[in-house]
Structure formats: structure tokens, C-alpha cells
Amino acid sequence: MARASAQDPGEWVDGFLFVANRPALDFLNTKPVLAEGPTELLPNFDALERWLIASGIVNSARTKSLLRSWRHSAAAQAFLKELIAFRERLRSAVVRMEAGATPSDEFLKEVNARLLQYPPRTALRKREGRVVVELIFEPQEPADLWAPILQGVADLLSETQTQRLRQCESCVLHFFDTSKKGSRRWCSMNLCGNKVKVAAYQRRQRDGESR
Ligand SMILES: [Zn+2]
């Protein structure tokens, strides 16, 4: 991991990948296949804490210390377990969307039920002489962490440009293609793009030699 972050500081933040252009997909990508095989990057609540900070979801000192205080609680363990199971159902929904279908009714029902329980909360704030609507996130208990995650999921599920939603041609990662041409093929040039190009080059060399 340290090697990867040294190669590309923009894609790895504190051991997590941020290549997807959509928060819900970055969340999905917390189970990549690395050199050592499929890797769970959220094996415990400490890791989730680091991911929430790396992703920018948690940024206040108050929330950070709250997360720390929850670390060994049963509520935090239960939340993480549910969240990981949810991540895999989200994966199925994303795969369906990538195939041109809509997420299952069952999954939408689940997301809706959770949205009712953990709705996004907003507040009006003054910023540079103007009043703006800002999301507020002041969790009281581990389950409140659903709110910011669901918000990203709701944005993703209602995405209209689903043709830009894609899985990397060479690994399990998903991304939203924001390139001008819409021709992005890999999770990242460093992780897969170069690997594929090198393999193709080596194949050409080999085929050339055998002729
Ligand atoms: Zn890839």
C-alpha cells in the first residue's frame, strides 16, 4: 500500500482508493483486488473511521473523537457488519445499472427505509455574505453514519448518465467516467491501465519473436 501511495498520491488516501468520482463508488471500492488478492479495506471500525476521514465525510474534531470513543462498542461493530453487507447489495445494484438495468425493487425499498430512518439534515448558513443550504452531519451514535453514506448512494442510484458508470476492464473496481470523451476504461492508469498496456506490449513482442 505504501508503495502504491508513493506512486500516485492522488489515488490513495491513507490506504484507501479514491478513483471513482462518486462517493458511493469509492465506498464500493473498499474491497479491491490487490497483488495479494481480494482485500477488505474495512476489516474493523478503526479502518472505517480512517475511511470516513479520508473520504471527507468526517472532518470535525468533535466527530473524530466521537468515532474514537465508539471504536470498541457493540453498536459500532453491529453497524460495520450491516454496512459491509449493504456494500455487497449496492455492488449488485451497480452491476445492474452498468448493464443498462435499474436496481432491484427490493434494494430501492431497503434504501428508502434507511433514508426514512437516517434522512439528510440541512441548515442555513451564512457564507461570504450569502445564505446557503448546507448539509449537517452531527452523529450521536454509530448508526447515524448511515446518513452521509445513503446520501451518496441516493445520488448514485438516481444518476442519469448511467452509460458513464463502468467497471474497470481489468479489475473489480467501479468508477464514474468524467472524462471529456467518456472513453475511460480503467480504474486508474497506475493500477490497471499501465499493467494492461505492458501486457499487450509484451504479447506483441512475444508474438513478433515467434514469427
Ligand atoms: Zn482496475
Side-chain angles (χ1 to χ4, degrees), residues 119-176:
R121 292 159 63 206
T122 56
L124 297 176
R125 303 240 201 263
K126 279 190 181 170
R127 293 274 180 253
E128 291 161 5
R130 292 176 50 229
V131 175
V132 295
V133 181
E134 282 185 0
L135 281 162
I136 47 172
F137 176 52
E138 285 165 3
Q140 309 295 323
E141 55 176 23
D144 292 335
L145 295 169
W146 278 115
I149 289 172
L150 289 172
Q151 205 201 319
V153 168
D155 286 345
L156 183 72
L157 298 185
S158 58
E159 176 59 57
T160 52
Q161 290 185 285
T162 50
Q163 74 283 1
R164 283 182 171 263
L165 198 55
R166 231 165 278 153
Q167 184 171 353
C168 173
E169 284 186 15
S170 145
C171 79
V172 300
L173 300 179
H174 297 265
F175 60 86
F176 185 79

Side-chain angles (χ1 to χ4, degrees), residues 7-86:
Q7 278 173 354
D8 198 343
E11 298 179 340
W12 288 93
V13 181
D14 195 18
F16 300 103
L17 271 170
F18 292 94
V19 295
N21 298 320
R22 288 290 181 275
L25 294 176
D26 285 326
F27 167 58
L28 201 57
N29 290 343
T30 51
K31 197 178 178 188
V33 175
L34 303 177
E36 56 274 27
T39 306
E40 176 56 79
L41 298 179
L42 302 176
N44 50 45
F45 196 77
D46 300 33
L48 179 64
E49 258 178 79
R50 287 194 295 110
W51 184 80
L52 288 165
I53 293 167
S55 66
I57 289 175
V58 166
N59 50 34
S60 78
R62 184 196 156 273
T63 307
K64 283 180 194 172
S65 77
L66 205 54
L67 288 176
R68 255 195 316 277
S69 73
W70 292 339
R71 222 176 253 182
H72 303 290
S73 71
Q77 308 310 319
F79 170 74
L80 178 65
K81 202 175 159 199
E82 255 193 89
L83 184 69
I84 295 298
F86 175 82

